Amino acid sequence: AVDAGLTCNLTHNPCAERLLEGSECVDGFCTNPFEGGCLKFFLQDEAYADKYAEGSVESNLRRRVLSPERKRICNSEDPESSPFCEPAADDGYSELRIFPQNWDSPIATSWMMQIILSEILNVPATTETGRANQNNNFYNRKNKMDYGMSDLDDDYDSFQNAFDAEGGDCTIYKGGDNDKYVSCTHVMPELWNSEPILLEKSNAGVVEIPSYSGGIGSRGWWS
């Protein structure tokens, strides 16, 4: 586990200096300055008002994001009655779970997906680690960043659990210790191992055949 957050106290408060303005010292940790939304945090800068022409797609998006009535959509890991988000509409989408596994590039991709889904498309979204009490949700209040399981570890059962859940709703699986924890996944941003089990799951309609992402996993010279 890796805590990206900073410790702080009444006499030592590096939050704004080491992170960003808006981070506060709460319960011994610097809070996540993006808890209320990454786009809202940055787009409130008036420099963006001058950068985007009036009536452009970017200008309209900025106006929409900065609307006082608008908040990001809450996910199942947000505290109840959080002031930083609003619940999804009753007739809206169920929560999307993204499984970045145990390396950095899909974690970054997962965060970008969370931002787009939660702050623009009104879809609740969070990340799956495959382990109990571990978290790498972008909006985590304490900036917690735990590395999850790899695709070799869970044998793609996480996809099966989402497939079996009514309406694909992963929130039906409650937490627990590692022996009782049930992982549930809709999206895996990167895949390094195309095992026979993946083809079996695809033939059963549980997952779609993966496609190329355009990223380069490794390069080198061999002789």
Side-chain angles (χ1 to χ4, degrees), residues 1-75:
V2 177
D3 277 337
L6 295 172
T7 57
C8 57
N9 54 47
L10 292 177
T11 59
H12 176 67
N13 184 352
C15 301
E17 178 183 355
R18 295 286 301 278
L19 295 177
L20 289 167
E21 291 291 338
S23 178
E24 302 175 346
C25 185
V26 177
D27 297 330
F29 285 90
C30 295
T31 60
N32 183 348
F34 304 127
E35 190 175 7
C38 179
L39 296 179
K40 178 169 286 189
F41 181 92
F42 284 110
L43 291 179
Q44 62 187 333
D45 190 324
E46 286 302 317
Y48 288 100
D50 299 329
K51 181 177 181 179
Y52 301 136
E54 184 66 27
S56 66
V57 172
E58 294 85 356
S59 177
N60 292 337
L61 175 61
R62 179 176 183 268
R63 185 181 299 108
R64 177 185 173 196
V65 168
L66 294 182
S67 170
E69 294 78 27
R70 184 176 180 82
K71 297 180 180 180
R72 69 171 175 87
I73 299 300
C74 298
N75 61 63

Side-chain angles (χ1 to χ4, degrees), residues 47-157:
Y48 288 100
D50 299 329
K51 181 177 181 179
Y52 301 136
E54 184 66 27
S56 66
V57 172
E58 294 85 356
S59 177
N60 292 337
L61 175 61
R62 179 176 183 268
R63 185 181 299 108
R64 177 185 173 196
V65 168
L66 294 182
S67 170
E69 294 78 27
R70 184 176 180 82
K71 297 180 180 180
R72 69 171 175 87
I73 299 300
C74 298
N75 61 63
S76 58
E77 295 178 288
D78 283 305
E80 289 188 18
S81 304
S82 170
F84 298 102
C85 62
E86 60 186 5
D90 291 337
D91 59 348
Y93 291 95
S94 59
E95 181 174 274
L96 186 74
R97 292 275 178 90
I98 310 163
F99 193 5
Q101 304 171 79
N102 63 347
W103 58 93
D104 294 342
S105 58
I107 290 177
T109 302
S110 296
W111 288 344
M112 288 187 280
M113 294 176 71
Q114 266 196 279
I115 292 167
I116 293 170
L117 290 163
S118 303
E119 301 182 28
I120 298 177
L121 300 179
N122 297 333
V123 177
T126 190
T127 55
E128 174 66 71
T129 63
R131 295 190 174 102
N133 304 317
Q134 294 196 355
N135 189 295
N136 51 32
N137 171 21
F138 178 77
Y139 303 106
N140 181 269
R141 188 164 181 76
K142 293 182 179 179
N143 295 303
K144 195 173 183 184
M145 183 180 167
D146 296 318
Y147 286 94
M149 299 169 67
S150 74
D151 50 25
L152 290 175
D153 292 331
D154 79 335
D155 210 25
Y156 303 100
D157 287 342

